[in-house]
Each structure stands twice: as C-alpha cells, then as structure tokens.
Amino acid sequence: MQHSLICKGCWEQMHLPVPLRGVVSAPFRAFGIRPSRMNPNTCTICELMFTKVMRARKITIDATIMFADLRGYTSLSQSQSADAVSGLLDAFYDECASAIWEHDGLLNKTIGDAVMAIFNFPLRREEHARNAVLAARELQTNWRERREALVAAHGLTANELGIGIGIHSGELSFGEFGRSHRDLTAIGTVVNTASRAQSVAEADQILVTKAVFDRAQPDLKDSSSKAFQLKGFDVPIELYVA
C-alpha cells in the first residue's frame, strides 16, 4: 500500500497540507505531529482534535463498522509456542490494517484475535459501506495467499487459520467513553450487530446486514441471505454473504 504524503483528514476537513513523510515532515514531527496509528494517512492533529471535541460531547455519525476475527486462535495459543502465536497475530493485524487503510477506514481497535474498523470517520466517504465490503474482500483474498506459508510453517490446516467478518452500517455514537480509562471509539446497536454478525460467520466468510446489502449495490447483487438468531437480539437478523 502506498501511503499519502500529506494528512488526508486535515486536507479534506480544513484544507491544510500537513506533511506526513519526507524531509518537510521533520519540523512537524518535532512538535509531535506524525502519522496516526489508526490510519497512517491521517495524523495526530486529527486525533488530538477529535479527542478534545469528544471530551465535551459525543457525536452521532452515519458509518460502517467491520469486525474481523482470526478463527482457531484460542486452540492455537494452547498448541503453539508464544513466538509462533505472536507471529500469527502480527501477520493477521498487518493484513487487516493494509486492507482497511487501502479503503480509507480507521483501524479503531485490536481485541486479542479480532479487529474493529470504522468507515466514514474521520475520512468521509459517501460509499463507506461499499468500502468496508471491498476491504473485507481484499483482506480475505490476501490472507488466503499469506496463510499458505503460515500453515506450512506451523503444521496447521487452512481451516485453523480462517477469518470470519461481520459488517453493519447505520447511525452510531462516536466519542470518548469511560472515566478512569477514556477510549476513543464507537458504540451502539450498529457496533453490536456487526460484532454478532462476525461471531456467526464461518472461516473465510463475510456476512453483512441488509443495510450494507442495500448500500453496497451492485457489488452484492448476487448475494444469498439467511436469517440468524444473534445473541442479544429478540428477532432473527437477515445476513447476506458478501
């Protein structure tokens, strides 16, 4: 992936060409302005700006949430060495980050063997649901290629290193949550639904909600669907294979 030379967030929101790389970025780095860890095409100015704003209030945004989980991690951690497990996670995180950033998403959290990504914040994209689907497909494709070497190296099977992905779109709250430990993240039904969709996805499968299915056309025009009784939901939720 080729990274941007200037911060996309500062340029799109304020038309400020904040350099992220190269010689001209050196003076900015001296003042702590450097690429964000959530998306290297945005900068720490964006992070600080969002953090200060969110302390005073939380905002409601229309966004897409993607959860990706490395299947079989728990059993692998019991049968593999600590170095081997760490290497697998590093590879998984790398592929997730690459696909998410390529489609202007924010890698908001790494949660053990899973990641949570947000699309449409801080980089605003009208087709954020489609971007999430494309990122998920790219992740699955790249991971299938990469895991061949990982499977051979650790004496595993492909099924033991599959990725399950869930995606949902809609309005959610974004801001800093918590008192003793503040966390800049998204919460709400959209987040919970995406997480639950990921939990029922099979290895190598991407499941999306009706909201994503409708927004990501025509990319999902041939997708089949099935009703799932997701944990915490009173009625079955229709999920589509992407």
Side-chain angles (χ1 to χ4, degrees), residues 62-64 120 125-131 133 168-171 209-220:
D62 179 54
T64 297
N120 207 34
R125 298 292 183 265
E126 184 176 346
E127 295 188 336
H128 53 88
R130 180 173 183 266
N131 285 356
V133 170
H168 185 34
S169 294
E171 287 196 345
T209 61
K210 181 68 162 54
V212 177
F213 175 80
D214 290 341
R215 294 184 186 208
Q217 295 299 330
D219 295 79
L220 300 178

Side-chain angles (χ1 to χ4, degrees), residues 10 38 52-53 59 70 79 90 96 98 105 114 126 150 171 216:
C10 290
M38 293 187 184
K52 290 178 180 178
V53 169
I59 62 171
L70 182 61
S79 62
D90 285 344
C96 287
S98 178
E126 184 176 346
L150 295 171
E171 287 196 345

Side-chain angles (χ1 to χ4, degrees), residues 61 63-65 104-108 116-121 174 185-186:
I61 60 172
T64 297
I65 299 294
D104 294 332
L106 192 75
L107 203 169
N108 183 234
M116 170 183 163
I118 301 172
F119 293 81
N120 207 34
F121 191 86
F174 192 94
T185 190

Side-chain angles (χ1 to χ4, degrees), residues 218-232:
D219 295 79
L220 300 178
K221 60 183 178 65
D222 297 322
S223 297
S224 59
S225 67
K226 177 182 175 182
F228 289 83
Q229 186 62 59
L230 303 181
K231 183 178 179 180

Side-chain angles (χ1 to χ4, degrees), residues 91-107:
F92 171 63
Y93 290 155
D94 287 348
E95 293 300 339
C96 287
S98 178
I100 291 165
W101 295 338
E102 181 68 27
H103 297 280
D104 294 332
L106 192 75
L107 203 169

Side-chain angles (χ1 to χ4, degrees), residues 55-226:
R55 281 199 185 117
R57 61 185 176 84
K58 300 172 181 67
I59 62 171
T60 298
I61 60 172
D62 179 54
T64 297
I65 299 294
M66 181 182 88
F67 278 90
D69 176 84
L70 182 61
R71 298 294 189 247
Y73 171 77
T74 302
S75 60
L76 288 174
S77 64
Q78 298 172 357
S79 62
Q80 300 288 318
S81 68
D83 287 344
V85 172
S86 176
L88 289 172
L89 272 185
D90 285 344
F92 171 63
Y93 290 155
D94 287 348
E95 293 300 339
C96 287
S98 178
I100 291 165
W101 295 338
E102 181 68 27
H103 297 280
D104 294 332
L106 192 75
L107 203 169
N108 183 234
K109 285 179 178 295
T110 56
I111 315 160
D113 57 349
V115 303
M116 170 183 163
I118 301 172
F119 293 81
N120 207 34
F121 191 86
L123 300 177
R124 304 293 179 138
R125 298 292 183 265
E126 184 176 346
E127 295 188 336
H128 53 88
R130 180 173 183 266
N131 285 356
V133 170
L134 294 179
R137 287 176 172 175
E138 182 175 319
L139 170 57
Q140 293 285 27
T141 298
N142 293 344
W143 182 251
R144 281 193 290 269
E145 296 175 356
R146 185 165 185 174
R147 76 179 174 193
E148 290 183 10
L150 295 171
V151 165
H154 299 288
L156 306 171
T157 65
N159 288 337
E160 290 177 294
L161 283 181
I163 295 176
I165 298 177
I167 307 174
H168 185 34
S169 294
E171 287 196 345
L172 51 84
S173 294
F174 192 94
E176 281 196 319
F177 301 93
R179 294 187 179 182
S180 59
H181 173 72
R182 289 190 172 276
D183 190 18
L184 185 64
T185 190
I187 63 170
T189 302
V190 171
V191 178
N192 296 337
T193 305
S195 177
R196 297 306 185 194
Q198 171 269 118
S199 70
V200 297
E202 298 175 3
D204 297 333
Q205 189 177 52
I206 304 167
L207 292 180
V208 307
T209 61
K210 181 68 162 54
V212 177
F213 175 80
D214 290 341
R215 294 184 186 208
Q217 295 299 330
D219 295 79
L220 300 178
K221 60 183 178 65
D222 297 322
S223 297
S224 59
S225 67
K226 177 182 175 182

